[in-house]
Short mmCIF file of all heavy atoms in Angstrom, two decimals:
data_model
loop_
_atom_site.label_atom_id
_atom_site.label_comp_id
_atom_site.label_asym_id
_atom_site.label_seq_id
_atom_site.Cartn_x
_atom_site.Cartn_y
_atom_site.Cartn_z
N ARG B 1 101.91 102.73 102.55
CA ARG B 1 102.80 101.55 102.70
C ARG B 1 104.28 102.01 102.58
O ARG B 1 105.13 101.55 103.26
CB ARG B 1 102.53 100.51 101.67
CG ARG B 1 101.12 99.85 101.74
CD ARG B 1 101.04 98.71 100.87
NE ARG B 1 101.17 99.00 99.47
CZ ARG B 1 102.14 98.45 98.63
NH1 ARG B 1 102.95 97.52 99.13
NH2 ARG B 1 102.26 98.84 97.37
N PHE B 2 104.50 102.96 101.72
CA PHE B 2 105.84 103.40 101.46
C PHE B 2 106.05 104.81 102.04
O PHE B 2 105.10 105.62 102.07
CB PHE B 2 106.15 103.46 100.00
CG PHE B 2 106.34 102.13 99.27
CD1 PHE B 2 105.97 101.03 99.92
CD2 PHE B 2 106.74 102.00 97.98
CE1 PHE B 2 106.01 99.67 99.35
CE2 PHE B 2 106.86 100.83 97.31
CZ PHE B 2 106.48 99.72 98.02
N THR B 3 107.25 105.12 102.53
CA THR B 3 107.60 106.46 102.98
C THR B 3 109.00 106.81 102.44
O THR B 3 109.93 106.10 102.61
CB THR B 3 107.67 106.44 104.55
OG1 THR B 3 106.38 105.99 105.08
CG2 THR B 3 107.95 107.85 105.00
N ILE B 4 108.99 108.01 101.78
CA ILE B 4 110.16 108.48 101.24
C ILE B 4 110.76 109.54 102.29
O ILE B 4 110.02 110.36 102.88
CB ILE B 4 109.97 109.10 99.84
CG1 ILE B 4 111.37 109.45 99.14
CG2 ILE B 4 109.10 110.36 99.94
CD1 ILE B 4 111.26 109.83 97.70
N SER B 5 112.04 109.58 102.44
CA SER B 5 112.68 110.47 103.24
C SER B 5 114.13 110.73 102.76
O SER B 5 114.63 110.01 101.90
CB SER B 5 112.80 110.01 104.67
OG SER B 5 113.48 108.84 104.82
N LYS B 6 114.73 111.78 103.23
CA LYS B 6 116.06 112.13 102.80
C LYS B 6 116.90 112.71 104.00
O LYS B 6 116.33 113.29 104.86
CB LYS B 6 116.15 113.04 101.62
CG LYS B 6 115.46 114.45 101.91
CD LYS B 6 115.49 115.27 100.66
CE LYS B 6 114.89 116.66 100.88
NZ LYS B 6 114.96 117.52 99.70
N ASP B 7 118.11 112.42 103.87
CA ASP B 7 119.13 113.06 104.85
C ASP B 7 119.95 114.05 104.00
O ASP B 7 120.91 113.63 103.22
CB ASP B 7 119.99 111.98 105.41
CG ASP B 7 120.92 112.53 106.56
OD1 ASP B 7 121.27 113.79 106.46
OD2 ASP B 7 121.25 111.77 107.48
N ASN B 8 119.66 115.25 104.10
CA ASN B 8 120.32 116.30 103.29
C ASN B 8 121.84 116.39 103.60
O ASN B 8 122.67 116.52 102.65
CB ASN B 8 119.66 117.69 103.43
CG ASN B 8 118.30 117.76 102.83
OD1 ASN B 8 118.04 117.18 101.77
ND2 ASN B 8 117.50 118.60 103.44
N ALA B 9 122.18 116.22 104.80
CA ALA B 9 123.59 116.32 105.23
C ALA B 9 124.34 115.15 104.50
O ALA B 9 125.61 115.31 104.19
CB ALA B 9 123.76 116.20 106.72
N LYS B 10 123.73 114.00 104.30
CA LYS B 10 124.45 112.91 103.73
C LYS B 10 124.11 112.71 102.22
O LYS B 10 124.62 111.76 101.61
CB LYS B 10 124.15 111.67 104.42
CG LYS B 10 124.53 111.61 105.91
CD LYS B 10 124.14 110.28 106.57
CE LYS B 10 124.61 110.23 107.98
NZ LYS B 10 124.24 108.93 108.64
N ASN B 11 123.26 113.59 101.75
CA ASN B 11 122.79 113.46 100.32
C ASN B 11 122.34 112.00 100.08
O ASN B 11 122.69 111.42 99.02
CB ASN B 11 123.87 113.83 99.33
CG ASN B 11 124.15 115.31 99.20
OD1 ASN B 11 125.27 115.88 99.15
ND2 ASN B 11 123.02 116.07 99.19
N THR B 12 121.53 111.55 100.97
CA THR B 12 121.01 110.11 100.85
C THR B 12 119.55 110.17 100.93
O THR B 12 118.93 110.86 101.78
CB THR B 12 121.65 109.37 102.02
OG1 THR B 12 123.06 109.34 101.93
CG2 THR B 12 121.10 107.91 101.90
N LEU B 13 118.96 109.45 100.04
CA LEU B 13 117.50 109.26 99.95
C LEU B 13 117.17 107.78 100.39
O LEU B 13 117.86 106.86 100.18
CB LEU B 13 117.09 109.43 98.47
CG LEU B 13 115.56 109.42 98.12
CD1 LEU B 13 114.93 110.64 98.62
CD2 LEU B 13 115.38 109.25 96.66
N TYR B 14 115.97 107.78 101.12
CA TYR B 14 115.51 106.50 101.51
C TYR B 14 114.10 106.21 101.11
O TYR B 14 113.37 107.09 100.83
CB TYR B 14 115.56 106.44 103.13
CG TYR B 14 116.87 106.74 103.71
CD1 TYR B 14 117.22 108.02 104.08
CD2 TYR B 14 117.85 105.67 103.77
CE1 TYR B 14 118.42 108.28 104.69
CE2 TYR B 14 119.13 106.00 104.44
CZ TYR B 14 119.43 107.27 104.79
OH TYR B 14 120.60 107.60 105.35
N LEU B 15 113.78 104.89 100.98
CA LEU B 15 112.41 104.53 100.76
C LEU B 15 112.15 103.36 101.72
O LEU B 15 112.66 102.29 101.48
CB LEU B 15 112.24 104.08 99.27
CG LEU B 15 110.83 103.69 98.96
CD1 LEU B 15 109.90 105.03 98.99
CD2 LEU B 15 110.75 103.09 97.47
N GLN B 16 111.32 103.68 102.65
CA GLN B 16 110.83 102.55 103.58
C GLN B 16 109.70 101.96 102.97
O GLN B 16 108.67 102.61 102.72
CB GLN B 16 110.55 103.20 104.92
CG GLN B 16 110.00 102.13 105.95
CD GLN B 16 111.05 101.14 106.37
OE1 GLN B 16 112.27 101.53 106.63
NE2 GLN B 16 110.72 99.86 106.33
N MET B 17 109.79 100.65 102.78
CA MET B 17 108.73 99.93 102.06
C MET B 17 108.21 98.86 102.98
O MET B 17 108.82 97.90 103.41
CB MET B 17 109.29 99.22 100.76
CG MET B 17 110.07 100.14 99.91
SD MET B 17 111.13 99.28 98.70
CE MET B 17 109.82 98.54 97.71
N ASN B 18 106.90 99.09 103.44
CA ASN B 18 106.21 98.22 104.31
C ASN B 18 105.02 97.47 103.62
O ASN B 18 104.50 97.95 102.61
CB ASN B 18 105.70 99.00 105.46
CG ASN B 18 106.73 99.60 106.36
OD1 ASN B 18 107.92 99.05 106.52
ND2 ASN B 18 106.45 100.71 106.97
N ASN B 19 104.66 96.37 104.25
CA ASN B 19 103.52 95.54 103.70
C ASN B 19 103.77 95.35 102.17
O ASN B 19 102.78 95.61 101.36
CB ASN B 19 102.23 96.33 103.91
CG ASN B 19 100.96 95.42 103.76
OD1 ASN B 19 101.12 94.23 103.74
ND2 ASN B 19 99.81 96.04 103.43
N LEU B 20 104.81 94.88 101.78
CA LEU B 20 105.14 94.66 100.40
C LEU B 20 104.24 93.61 99.79
O LEU B 20 103.90 92.63 100.46
CB LEU B 20 106.65 94.22 100.26
CG LEU B 20 107.56 95.42 100.38
CD1 LEU B 20 109.00 94.95 100.76
CD2 LEU B 20 107.55 96.30 99.08
N LYS B 21 103.97 93.82 98.51
CA LYS B 21 103.13 92.95 97.82
C LYS B 21 103.83 92.43 96.54
O LYS B 21 104.83 93.07 96.16
CB LYS B 21 101.85 93.72 97.30
CG LYS B 21 100.98 94.36 98.42
CD LYS B 21 99.86 95.13 97.83
CE LYS B 21 99.07 95.81 99.04
NZ LYS B 21 97.86 96.60 98.43
N PRO B 22 103.46 91.32 96.07
CA PRO B 22 104.12 90.73 94.83
C PRO B 22 104.16 91.77 93.70
O PRO B 22 105.09 91.79 92.97
CB PRO B 22 103.24 89.51 94.52
CG PRO B 22 102.73 89.06 95.75
CD PRO B 22 102.49 90.32 96.55
N GLU B 23 103.12 92.56 93.55
CA GLU B 23 103.18 93.50 92.47
C GLU B 23 104.17 94.68 92.67
O GLU B 23 104.37 95.51 91.77
CB GLU B 23 101.69 94.16 92.24
CG GLU B 23 101.13 94.66 93.59
CD GLU B 23 100.12 93.67 94.13
OE1 GLU B 23 100.52 92.47 94.21
OE2 GLU B 23 99.02 94.05 94.60
N ASP B 24 104.77 94.75 93.85
CA ASP B 24 105.90 95.65 94.09
C ASP B 24 107.23 95.24 93.43
O ASP B 24 108.17 95.94 93.46
CB ASP B 24 106.08 95.92 95.55
CG ASP B 24 104.87 96.67 96.19
OD1 ASP B 24 104.34 97.51 95.55
OD2 ASP B 24 104.54 96.28 97.32
N THR B 25 107.22 93.97 93.00
CA THR B 25 108.44 93.41 92.41
C THR B 25 108.80 94.19 91.23
O THR B 25 108.04 94.33 90.32
CB THR B 25 108.26 92.00 92.10
OG1 THR B 25 108.00 91.14 93.23
CG2 THR B 25 109.49 91.36 91.35
N ALA B 26 110.09 94.74 91.24
CA ALA B 26 110.59 95.51 90.19
C ALA B 26 112.03 95.91 90.50
O ALA B 26 112.58 95.65 91.60
CB ALA B 26 109.76 96.83 90.07
N VAL B 27 112.74 96.55 89.48
CA VAL B 27 113.93 97.19 89.79
C VAL B 27 113.64 98.65 90.22
O VAL B 27 112.84 99.35 89.48
CB VAL B 27 114.83 97.16 88.55
CG1 VAL B 27 116.20 97.95 88.82
CG2 VAL B 27 115.19 95.67 88.15
N TYR B 28 114.16 99.00 91.32
CA TYR B 28 113.94 100.37 91.84
C TYR B 28 115.12 101.25 91.49
O TYR B 28 116.24 100.96 91.81
CB TYR B 28 113.62 100.32 93.27
CG TYR B 28 112.23 99.81 93.60
CD1 TYR B 28 111.96 98.44 93.40
CD2 TYR B 28 111.27 100.66 94.10
CE1 TYR B 28 110.62 98.01 93.70
CE2 TYR B 28 109.98 100.14 94.37
CZ TYR B 28 109.68 98.91 94.21
OH TYR B 28 108.39 98.38 94.41
N TYR B 29 114.78 102.45 90.93
CA TYR B 29 115.85 103.37 90.53
C TYR B 29 115.69 104.67 91.25
O TYR B 29 114.61 105.15 91.49
CB TYR B 29 115.72 103.72 89.06
CG TYR B 29 115.89 102.49 88.12
CD1 TYR B 29 114.87 101.66 87.71
CD2 TYR B 29 117.14 102.23 87.64
CE1 TYR B 29 114.97 100.63 86.87
CE2 TYR B 29 117.33 101.11 86.82
CZ TYR B 29 116.23 100.29 86.42
OH TYR B 29 116.48 99.20 85.56
N CYS B 30 116.83 105.15 91.60
CA CYS B 30 116.88 106.50 92.33
C CYS B 30 117.06 107.50 91.30
O CYS B 30 117.92 107.42 90.31
CB CYS B 30 117.99 106.47 93.32
SG CYS B 30 118.24 108.04 94.18
N ASN B 31 116.33 108.60 91.37
CA ASN B 31 116.40 109.74 90.45
C ASN B 31 116.73 111.00 91.20
O ASN B 31 116.11 111.32 92.27
CB ASN B 31 115.04 109.89 89.71
CG ASN B 31 114.96 111.21 88.95
OD1 ASN B 31 114.07 111.99 89.19
ND2 ASN B 31 115.86 111.40 87.98
N VAL B 32 117.70 111.77 90.68
CA VAL B 32 118.00 113.05 91.28
C VAL B 32 117.88 114.09 90.22
O VAL B 32 118.47 114.00 89.11
CB VAL B 32 119.51 112.99 91.76
CG1 VAL B 32 119.91 114.39 92.36
CG2 VAL B 32 119.71 111.94 92.77
N GLN B 33 117.07 115.11 90.58
CA GLN B 33 116.74 116.20 89.58
C GLN B 33 117.64 117.40 90.00
O GLN B 33 117.46 117.97 91.04
CB GLN B 33 115.27 116.52 89.60
CG GLN B 33 114.37 115.42 89.15
CD GLN B 33 112.93 115.84 89.03
OE1 GLN B 33 112.66 117.06 88.95
NE2 GLN B 33 112.09 114.89 89.10
N SER B 34 118.44 117.81 89.03
CA SER B 34 119.26 118.97 89.16
C SER B 34 119.22 119.78 87.86
O SER B 34 118.11 120.04 87.37
CB SER B 34 120.70 118.54 89.57
OG SER B 34 121.50 119.73 89.81
N TRP B 35 120.29 120.04 87.32
CA TRP B 35 120.33 120.79 85.96
C TRP B 35 119.79 119.76 84.91
O TRP B 35 119.35 120.15 83.92
CB TRP B 35 121.64 121.38 85.66
CG TRP B 35 122.82 120.30 85.54
CD1 TRP B 35 123.55 119.84 86.51
CD2 TRP B 35 123.23 119.75 84.29
NE1 TRP B 35 124.46 118.91 86.00
CE2 TRP B 35 124.26 118.88 84.59
CE3 TRP B 35 122.84 119.83 82.89
CZ2 TRP B 35 124.94 118.11 83.68
CZ3 TRP B 35 123.54 119.10 82.01
CH2 TRP B 35 124.58 118.27 82.43
N ARG B 36 119.98 118.47 85.34
CA ARG B 36 119.36 117.42 84.50
C ARG B 36 119.05 116.28 85.41
O ARG B 36 119.40 116.38 86.62
CB ARG B 36 120.27 117.01 83.31
CG ARG B 36 121.48 116.21 83.66
CD ARG B 36 122.12 115.57 82.54
NE ARG B 36 123.24 114.69 82.81
CZ ARG B 36 123.16 113.42 83.08
NH1 ARG B 36 122.00 112.84 83.17
NH2 ARG B 36 124.25 112.77 83.31
N ASP B 37 118.38 115.28 84.96
CA ASP B 37 118.09 114.07 85.75
C ASP B 37 119.25 113.18 85.81
O ASP B 37 119.89 112.90 84.69
CB ASP B 37 116.84 113.32 85.24
CG ASP B 37 115.62 114.04 85.48
OD1 ASP B 37 115.57 115.06 86.25
OD2 ASP B 37 114.51 113.66 84.99
N PHE B 38 119.51 112.59 86.98
CA PHE B 38 120.58 111.58 87.14
C PHE B 38 119.94 110.35 87.64
O PHE B 38 119.02 110.45 88.53
CB PHE B 38 121.67 112.06 88.15
CG PHE B 38 122.48 113.32 87.65
CD1 PHE B 38 122.02 114.55 87.96
CD2 PHE B 38 123.58 113.21 86.83
CE1 PHE B 38 122.64 115.63 87.51
CE2 PHE B 38 124.27 114.26 86.40
CZ PHE B 38 123.86 115.53 86.63
N TRP B 39 120.38 109.25 87.22
CA TRP B 39 119.79 107.95 87.59
C TRP B 39 120.77 107.02 88.11
O TRP B 39 121.90 106.95 87.61
CB TRP B 39 119.08 107.35 86.37
CG TRP B 39 117.93 108.10 85.93
CD1 TRP B 39 117.95 109.09 84.98
CD2 TRP B 39 116.54 107.91 86.30
NE1 TRP B 39 116.62 109.57 84.75
CE2 TRP B 39 115.78 108.86 85.57
CE3 TRP B 39 115.92 107.04 87.20
CZ2 TRP B 39 114.39 108.99 85.66
CZ3 TRP B 39 114.52 107.20 87.24
CH2 TRP B 39 113.76 108.11 86.53
N GLY B 40 120.43 106.19 89.03
CA GLY B 40 121.26 105.02 89.55
C GLY B 40 121.04 103.88 88.67
O GLY B 40 120.22 103.87 87.68
N GLN B 41 121.77 102.91 88.98
CA GLN B 41 121.70 101.57 88.20
C GLN B 41 120.59 100.67 88.56
O GLN B 41 120.13 99.74 87.89
CB GLN B 41 123.00 100.84 88.28
CG GLN B 41 124.19 101.52 87.56
CD GLN B 41 123.95 101.60 86.09
OE1 GLN B 41 123.81 102.75 85.53
NE2 GLN B 41 123.86 100.55 85.39
N GLY B 42 119.99 100.98 89.71
CA GLY B 42 118.79 100.25 90.13
C GLY B 42 119.20 99.14 91.17
O GLY B 42 120.30 98.65 91.23
#
């Protein structure tokens, strides 16, 4: 149902979410792993 992809040139991550279900309801956070983990606000 979901597909993750990234554009390295833009340093942008995507999540295509299809056939969404009520149980998918949540705050979604982006995580970047480098020398440590970085998180977005959701």
Side-chain angles (χ1 to χ4, degrees):
R1 300 189 297 120
F2 292 8
T3 303
I4 190 170
S5 62
K6 61 180 179 178
D7 185 332
N8 289 328
K10 297 181 179 180
N11 285 137
T12 301
L13 183 72
Y14 303 96
L15 184 67
Q16 180 65 47
M17 309 165 68
N18 297 326
N19 192 23
L20 283 160
K21 303 176 180 180
E23 51 262 44
D24 296 318
T25 295
V27 178
Y28 284 70
Y29 298 91
C30 180
N31 169 242
V32 180
Q33 295 184 23
S34 185
W35 63 275
R36 73 168 182 89
D37 285 352
F38 298 91
W39 295 88
Q41 291 298 116

